[in-house]
Amino acid sequence: MTDIFDFEPRIDEYAVMGNPIQHSKSPRIHMLFAEQTRQSIRYTAIQVDVGGFKQAVGNFAANKGKGLNITVPFKEEAWALVDTRSDRAERAGAVNTIKFLDNGQLYGDNTDGIGLVNDLKSHYQIEIKNKQVLLMGAGGAARGVLAPLLDEQPAAMVVVNRTPGKAKELAEHFAGLGNISGCGYEHLTAQRFDIVINATAASLHGELPALPDQLVSAEGCCYDMMYGQQTPFMQWAAQQGVKTIADGLGMLVEQAAESFYIWRNVRPDTRLVLDVLRKELAV
Ligand code: ATR
């Protein structure tokens, strides 16, 4: 005789926690992944008050939650909260993916950097190996992507920041992973880069750090980690005649896919999901 409980649908619970969270695309992305790969999951967005993060994660775990994405401003708190971390999360000092293990422990990873690398490689056919790479910004967003970028073995990685001391500190922190240095924008005049990545918060304010002409090689790539509109950095890249200009939507989808893989051990087809999102967002 078949046990009636065999027929109870089992839906695994996931969520993204942040503040603010109402405009998050993560629930949409993960539901598209779930539909595509026939995984039975629920994925919600949870707004968490500053000061209430640990409690919120505890509540989610108590309700049989299986995994969380963590976004601004809780990634560093998540790093401190988890029991074990991946190497890349360890180095980033930030966690954007938590997996609730069967033994009750919390495992933390950071999929932002691999999301950026995978987007560059698979959607834009940009290889980082042996390239001259410039990373603009030295805050959490920059720190989160540096280890996976250096793992790709660029010829040189320069971190440039409005406050040069922070760029130099970041370069020192990651010095063991490759040829990396830090400087201020005024030092960029004589250099030419193959890949320029904007990890500053400048685009959020409609601003652009002062960049010299001829900064990007003719066959180069400019990548803004922001998405949803043509940023001043992307407009500047177009004026400079840069061949490949990218927003951060692909990175968002790729980091989500890596989280999905960590939780479900299944890799979704990101291209299909990216196409759907671009149509929905009209970008
Ligand atoms: P995030 O976690 O998004 O990286 P953050 O830690 O506040 O946020 O870092 C923001 C980054 O954007 C910093 O590198 C900041 O430069 P400073 O360290 O000099 O503050 C950079 N940034 C913000 N607005 C900028 C602007 N208008 N021009 C240049 N850089 C800017």
Side-chain angles (χ1 to χ4, degrees), residues 134-143 145 159-163 166 185 196-211 223-227 231-233:
L134 178 67
L135 181 65
M136 294 159 55
R143 189 186 170 106
V145 298
V159 181
V160 62
N161 196 42
R162 189 173 56 179
T163 314
K166 279 167 70 181
Y185 288 95
V196 181
I197 299 163
N198 185 9
T200 71
S203 298
L204 283 175
H205 312 120
E207 293 166 2
L208 175 69
L211 299 173
Y223 193 105
D224 201 318
M225 282 167 54
M226 203 178 127
Y227 67 88
T231 66
F233 175 60

Side-chain angles (χ1 to χ4, degrees), residues 12 25 41 61 83 85 153 177 198 211 223 266 268:
D12 291 340
K25 299 279 168 265
I41 71 163
D83 299 293
R85 309 176 191 107
Q153 300 176 309
L177 296 185
N198 185 9
L211 299 173
Y223 193 105
V266 176

Side-chain angles (χ1 to χ4, degrees), residues 24-117:
S24 173
K25 299 279 168 265
S26 293
R28 179 74 182 128
I29 293 170
H30 282 280
M31 288 325 292
L32 288 168
F33 287 165
E35 270 172 33
Q36 188 196 81
T37 59
R38 297 178 185 277
Q39 299 281 301
S40 184
I41 71 163
R42 188 175 9 241
Y43 189 110
T44 52
I46 301 175
Q47 168 110 5
V48 174
D49 291 337
V50 172
F53 178 68
K54 189 176 177 188
Q55 176 79 43
V57 173
N59 292 346
F60 193 75
N63 286 320
K64 303 216 173 341
K66 295 278 181 185
L68 284 170
N69 281 134
I70 310 299
T71 187
V72 176
F74 299 117
K75 290 184 189 182
E76 286 80 12
E77 234 181 293
W79 184 90
L81 183 67
V82 294
D83 299 293
T84 54
R85 309 176 191 107
S86 66
D87 284 351
R88 61 194 178 195
E90 187 67 44
R91 291 200 213 105
V95 154
N96 80 336
T97 304
I98 295 178
K99 183 176 183 174
F100 295 87
L101 304 178
D102 291 339
N103 63 8
Q105 289 206 329
L106 272 56
Y107 169 75
D109 203 339
N110 190 319
T111 64
D112 287 331
I114 196 69
L116 170 62
V117 168

